[in-house]
Each structure stands twice: as C-alpha cells, then as structure tokens.
Amino acid sequence: MLDMVKQWVWYDWIMLGLRLITSLSLILTTIRFQEGLALPLWIVIFLEIAAFSIPWVCLQLNYKYYLFTEILLFGGLCIHLTSLFPEAYLTFLVSAFLTAANSAHQSYRWTAPATVFILPGVFHMVAPSNGYWFMVTYYGLAYVMGFAFHLLIVNHRQNTTIRKQNKVLEQYMSQIERITLAEERNRLSRELHDTVGHAYTSIIMGMETLRSELATDTGTQRLDSLLELGRKSIEEVRSYLHQMESAQQSLSLVFSLQKLGDEFQEHAQVDVNFSAYGEEYPLSRQAKMTFIRCLQESLTNAVRHGQATGITVTLQFGQQYTRLEVQDNGRGMEEWREGFGMNAMKERAMNLQGQVSVYTKPGDGTLVVCNLPRPAEKADELIRLLVADDQPFIRESLRTLFDNYPDLNVVGLAEDGEQAVDLCGSLQPHVVLMDLDMPHIDGAQATKLIKQQWPHIRVLILTTFQDTDQALDLLRNGADGFLLKSASLLELADTIRLVHRGGTLIDQEMSHKIFEKFDGSIQSPQLKAAADYELTAREVEILQLVAKGLRYKTIASKLNLSDGTVRNYASSAYIKLGVHNKEEAYQKALDIGIIH
C-alpha cells in the first residue's frame, strides 16, 4: 500500500482530499445534529468512517471493487441520513463526482444510471420533499464533471507514458549513435590496417629485395629514398589509427557499464543497481562492445516490454568466464520472443565463443545472462608460429605483418613440406600455417607427418581450394582449421589464437561443401539433421560423446582439446538446437536423429 502511495500524482491527492473534506464535514455535521439520529452517535460515526475508508482501500486494489463499495456503503449511508435530514442528499454529490472519475471501460454503463437516476429516486422516496428531477440534474452535472476529470487523468497518464518512452528512446538512440561510431572506427581501423598497412609493408619488402640488384650509387640512393618514404608513410598511418580510438574505448568495462546504467536511470526514471565482482582484467574491444550492447538492449527491453521499475546489473570477472547478468522486476513473459536486438547480441557473443541466455516467467521478471570466455593471460599469449609456403614473398610478408601483434611470434619459415616437418622437430611451434601446393612434400602429407609425430602441434591450412575430398582427407589426418588466403590479416590472427586454444575453424562456405560429402561416422539421416541445424562436424561429435555420458574434461582429453574449447562447442550446439543443458540436448539430438 505504501509503495502505491509513493507513486501517486496530483490527481490522486485531489480525490483523497475531496473524500477527507466530505467525510470530516459529514462527521462534524452528525455531531452537531445528533439529537435527531435514530442510532447511537458512535455507531453512525463508525459507519461514516467505514464508508470513507473501505472504498478508498478498495480503490488501491481494483477500481471495480471501489465502485461497488462506494455506491453501496456511502450511498446507503447517505440514504439513511437523508431519511432523517432531507438536505443530506447533497453529501452524495462528491461521491457521484468520484465515481465518474474512477470509472473505466464498460463500468459507465451501470455507474451512470445508478448514480444519476436510481439513487436520486431512492432519495426522493425517503424524503419526498426533494424534487426528483431537481436531484437528477444535480447528480448529472456532478457525474459529467467527474467524467471530464477522468479524461484529464487519462490524458495525463498517456502523456507521462509517452514522455517516459521518449526518454528511453532518446537514451537508446544516444547509445546506438555512440556504439555505431565506435564500430565504424574499428571497421576503418581494420580496413586501413589490412589494406594500406599491408600495401606499404609489401612495397618496403619488395624494394628491399631489389637492393642487391642495383649496382649504381644513384640507384641505391633512389632506393633508400623510396624505403624511407614508405617507412614514414606507414608510421603516419599507424599514428592515425591510434588517434581514431575514442575515449570511450580506453575506459574500463566496469566504468563504461556503470556510466551506461547511470545515464539510463537518469533518463528513463528507473532504478538501476550495478555491482561488479572480481578483479577486472583486460578485454578486447569486441568483448567490451558486446557487454555494452547487451546491457543497453536488456535495459531497453526491461522498460519497453517488461514495464520494469527496478533493474539489477551484475558483472563478474571469473577465472574462465566474464559474466554479465541483467535482472529486472518486470512482468516477464510466458514465451520469450527474440527480436533484432536480441539476435544481434547473441551473434556478437557467438563470434567471441560466448553465449547469451534469457530466462523469463510471468510475474518474475526477466534475466539476461551474457557469458564470454576469459582471454588468456599475457604469459600464455605468446604463440610460436611456423610459416610453410613455397613463395618467399608470402613467407616474408607474413612474418613482417605478424610483427604488429605482440602475441604472435614467427619462429621459423619453411619453403616446402619436408622442411616444415624438420623445423617442427627442432623448433616445436604452437601453430603451423601450412600451404598445400609445395614441392617435395605437399602440405597434406606434411600435415599427416606432423600430426603423427607431434599431435600437440596445431596445423592451420591456408588455401584457395574448394576440393572437399582433399579437405576430408586433411580433417582425418588431423588438420585443425581451414582458412582462405583471401582472409583479412585480423581474421587470420584471430583464427590462429582460436586454433592455438584448441578450437577448430573451417571457412563457412567450405564447411557446407564438406557436410554434403561427409561420409564418416555420421550416416545420411544424421548428416541431414545436422545440416538442418547448421551443426559443424565437431559439434556433432561432441554431442555424440555427451550422449554417452562423458564429462567435458573426459571429452577434452579424448579429442586433444582444452576443457574450455569443448564447453564452447557444446554451448554453440545447445544454442543451435534451442536447448539449455545436457539432458535437453540429448533428448533433442535423439529426436532429430543425430544420435541413436
């Protein structure tokens, strides 16, 4: 009850004031003329207090309860007093006004006749001296004024709702603009880095190779001048990229989310409580943007669709995952319906090997959970690379370009498969970037030899081919990923990190072709079911092992993967199947024929 009173506005206090004034006046008048009462004074005062308080309490619960109690209790009291004092019928005028002001929907069909025609008829019966049509006119005017007051209340409520929605939309558009600008900066940075930076690096490397061919002093001086110009230009590009970083991107995640919650609370008039647990560690731009976008979408949905008045935001920095929870006290939903914003959130999280889950129930609000895997510690981030390609220019270019990434260290270059196998034995790299078409021993045979001798070394195939038969053969021989040579440098770097952590990545177009011809342990009906849900071969394999009752750690050991990688594959498969745990995944896989 107290919470309801706190939300009152001016018209609620006006109606309460009218009731108080009317009731106090009635009590004082009753005390003054108590000699003419048929009942003891204390009984009459008790009835007057009940006629005031009971309808008012009912009004806080449901307007229909109020209308019945107002007409029956207060109307009955006025009838009794009118039978003793004919002028007492005037007391019900305020009640007629309040009845009209609090009526809604279809209730006008019976409150208007009861107030304007029936009660005046009763007053006329108990006090014939009062003219019936005279009273009908009075009560009709009071009811019309109450109806006009009701329209004023409805208009005020609608305007308040519109203002709140506008504030939410303004906040939403402000955040959209901020995120759009940040993402555009990131996109331009990547494009400049991958195109202009690559071009400058290639020019410098190409001119370096010409140095030995230039015999004259003039030619050497000219070459030195071009090299110096190229180096200065690429430094200017790098400086420009650093200047493009916004101040928002340099802020900590905790501060960014806290600021977003405070701004939303200020504009949307909703209580947002933010808490952070654990020691904050560095996150990538993409991860920060994912959490910011997730919180923004969750806050907006909580107010626009859930009608929430309070939202609790919790950010937890765990050992394996960074977790964001957004819990609101809104009305919840029987069945969650995903829109464009929620789908975009899930896509962002999946791109980072994470996931977004939504839990909602009518009356219990909505909980949105965003989980992203924690980035590897700095000490573990140095990835030793071996580049195997028969083109010297490509080998040198990759080594030069990887120098821009502090966590990627090219420890060796191989010009054919035979040399790649030898260098794996002496250098023990973490990841081998393997070309396929090479002399002596090709990339496919080299991959097989490397995996036979050193199964812990990850092999990422860089190729331009679309031969699915050869791709299947490479998968059977232990290849950990396929990436087209046309991929951007940033995509290549991210793929290397993923493969190093134990993941497997296959170019999307190539994976569809492989599925069409995959003839391993998955038979034709299983393949069709997996393709319908866009499950990868690795996800199907993990589902089959989960169905056998194996734990994630056991599966990781069996497949030579990390525990976190297996969990990521399983989470991705659960999302595609639309399930939430192992039991539901097992039943769904059984129903669609992936397992038997």
Side-chain angles (χ1 to χ4, degrees), residues 46-241:
F46 175 79
L47 292 175
E48 291 172 347
I49 294 175
F52 159 77
S53 59
I54 293 177
W56 181 80
V57 172
C58 291
L59 179 61
Q60 313 311 311
L61 303 176
N62 187 292
Y63 77 95
K64 292 181 180 179
Y65 300 156
Y66 162 76
L67 296 176
F68 281 111
T69 53
E70 178 75 9
I71 293 176
L72 292 176
L73 293 180
F74 203 83
L77 177 64
C78 290
I79 291 173
H80 172 69
L81 294 177
T82 302
S83 65
L84 302 176
F85 309 100
E87 295 82 4
Y89 78 91
L90 295 172
T91 307
F92 197 73
L93 288 174
V94 175
S95 184
F97 174 87
L98 295 175
T99 299
N102 291 294
S103 296
H105 305 298
Q106 304 297 323
S107 60
Y108 290 106
R109 295 183 177 181
W110 63 271
T111 57
T115 305
V116 178
F117 297 104
I118 296 177
L119 280 175
V122 177
F123 291 146
H124 179 69
M125 290 174 59
V126 299
S129 60
N130 297 324
Y132 173 72
W133 292 108
F134 181 78
M135 287 189 292
V136 167
T137 302
Y138 266 52
Y139 285 116
L141 288 174
Y143 194 91
V144 170
M145 293 175 63
F147 180 75
F149 190 74
H150 170 76
L151 295 179
L152 182 64
I153 293 174
V154 171
N155 182 66
H156 180 271
R157 288 173 177 170
Q158 290 177 344
N159 288 337
T160 301
T161 301
I162 291 173
R163 285 195 297 270
K164 289 182 178 179
Q165 293 291 340
N166 283 339
K167 288 181 179 179
V168 173
L169 290 175
E170 288 174 1
Q171 173 71 6
Y172 188 80
M173 293 303 297
S174 174
Q175 294 298 326
I176 284 289
E177 181 181 5
R178 192 177 304 170
I179 290 176
T180 301
L181 289 174
E183 291 184 338
E184 184 64 14
R185 289 189 184 99
N186 290 337
R187 186 189 69 81
L188 290 175
S189 298
R190 289 194 299 268
E191 292 296 328
L192 287 172
H193 186 281
D194 297 340
T195 56
V196 179
H198 177 74
Y200 276 126
T201 303
S202 300
I203 292 172
I204 293 172
M205 290 168 48
M207 288 189 293
E208 286 283 6
T209 59
L210 293 176
R211 183 184 295 275
S212 61
E213 300 179 11
L214 296 175
T216 63
D217 294 338
T218 303
T220 303
Q221 292 175 359
R222 183 179 178 185
L223 177 61
D224 290 338
S225 176
L226 289 172
L227 286 171
E228 184 63 23
L229 177 61
R231 291 190 177 98
K232 286 184 178 180
S233 298
I234 196 171
E235 287 301 323
E236 290 177 359
V237 171
R238 288 170 179 165
S239 174
Y240 175 68
L241 292 178

Side-chain angles (χ1 to χ4, degrees), residues 537-566:
R538 182 68 84 180
E539 289 169 350
V540 171
E541 184 179 16
I542 289 177
L543 284 174
Q544 291 174 331
L545 294 174
V546 168
K548 294 179 180 179
L550 299 182
R551 302 178 56 149
Y552 287 143
K553 289 185 177 179
T554 306
I555 296 173
S557 176
K558 186 178 181 66
L559 300 180
N560 294 319
L561 300 176
S562 67
D563 183 35
T565 300
V566 172

Side-chain angles (χ1 to χ4, degrees), residues 241-480:
L241 292 178
H242 290 304
Q243 291 175 2
M244 286 179 64
E245 289 189 1
S246 65
Q248 181 74 17
Q249 292 173 334
S250 61
L251 298 176
S252 69
L253 178 61
V254 172
F255 184 85
S256 299
L257 296 183
Q258 177 76 65
K259 183 179 179 182
L260 176 59
D262 292 342
E263 290 178 352
F264 191 86
Q265 177 173 272
E266 178 183 354
H267 291 88
Q269 302 298 312
V270 176
D271 291 332
V272 180
N273 296 317
F274 178 83
S275 301
Y277 301 95
E279 184 177 354
E280 183 172 2
Y281 40 73
L283 294 173
S284 66
R285 293 181 183 177
Q286 291 83 358
K288 285 185 178 180
M289 199 59 64
T290 298
F291 282 122
I292 292 173
R293 183 69 180 89
C294 181
L295 177 57
Q296 178 198 12
E297 185 68 22
S298 301
L299 293 175
T300 304
N301 287 340
V303 175
R304 295 184 61 188
H305 305 302
Q307 306 296 318
T309 58
I311 302 172
T312 300
V313 182
T314 305
L315 179 65
Q316 183 175 2
F317 296 95
Q319 293 184 351
Q320 295 183 343
Y321 283 88
T322 309
R323 181 183 180 92
L324 175 68
E325 294 185 2
V326 185
Q327 173 73 64
D328 66 61
N329 65 351
R331 58 190 181 189
M333 298 183 185
E334 183 69 35
E335 181 179 356
W336 177 257
R337 295 182 297 275
E338 295 183 357
F340 175 78
M342 182 59 64
N343 288 330
M345 280 198 308
K346 290 192 172 184
E347 183 178 351
R348 287 172 180 270
M350 288 184 64
N351 289 339
L352 296 173
Q353 307 300 313
Q355 67 179 85
V356 173
S357 304
V358 180
Y359 307 93
T360 183
K361 186 178 180 181
D364 290 341
T366 300
L367 171 65
V368 179
V369 180
C370 179
N371 263 331
L372 295 183
R374 176 176 178 173
E377 297 293 336
K378 288 295 182 181
D380 300 328
E381 281 189 354
L382 186 60
I383 304 174
R384 295 163 55 84
L385 301 177
L386 172 64
V387 179
D389 198 294
D390 61 334
Q391 298 293 327
F393 179 75
I394 293 179
R395 295 196 304 268
E396 295 293 340
S397 295
L398 287 174
R399 178 161 64 176
T400 302
L401 294 174
F402 284 143
D403 286 342
N404 296 323
Y405 295 93
D407 60 334
L408 302 179
N409 180 27
V410 178
V411 297
L413 303 175
E415 61 185 21
D416 55 42
E418 183 178 3
Q419 189 177 9
V421 175
D422 293 339
L423 289 177
C424 280
S426 59
L427 299 176
Q428 288 293 301
H430 295 135
V431 180
V432 178
L433 303 182
M434 183 74 73
D435 184 31
L436 289 178
D437 297 324
M438 294 187 294
H440 306 301
I441 297 179
D442 62 15
Q445 184 64 22
T447 299
K448 182 177 181 179
L449 293 173
I450 291 171
K451 282 297 184 177
Q452 287 175 349
Q453 300 180 62
W454 307 284
H456 62 279
I457 295 180
R458 314 289 291 175
V459 179
L460 176 61
I461 306 297
L462 292 180
T463 180
T464 57
F465 78 105
Q466 297 291 335
D467 187 346
T468 54
D469 291 331
Q470 189 178 12
L472 282 171
D473 185 60
L474 283 163
L475 281 174
R476 296 190 187 100
N477 289 327
D480 299 292

Side-chain angles (χ1 to χ4, degrees), residues 466 481-484 491 505-512:
Q466 297 291 335
F482 295 89
L483 194 64
L484 298 179
E491 183 180 0
L505 189 142
I506 304 176
D507 180 77
Q508 185 175 4
E509 182 179 354
M510 192 183 302
S511 66
H512 290 319

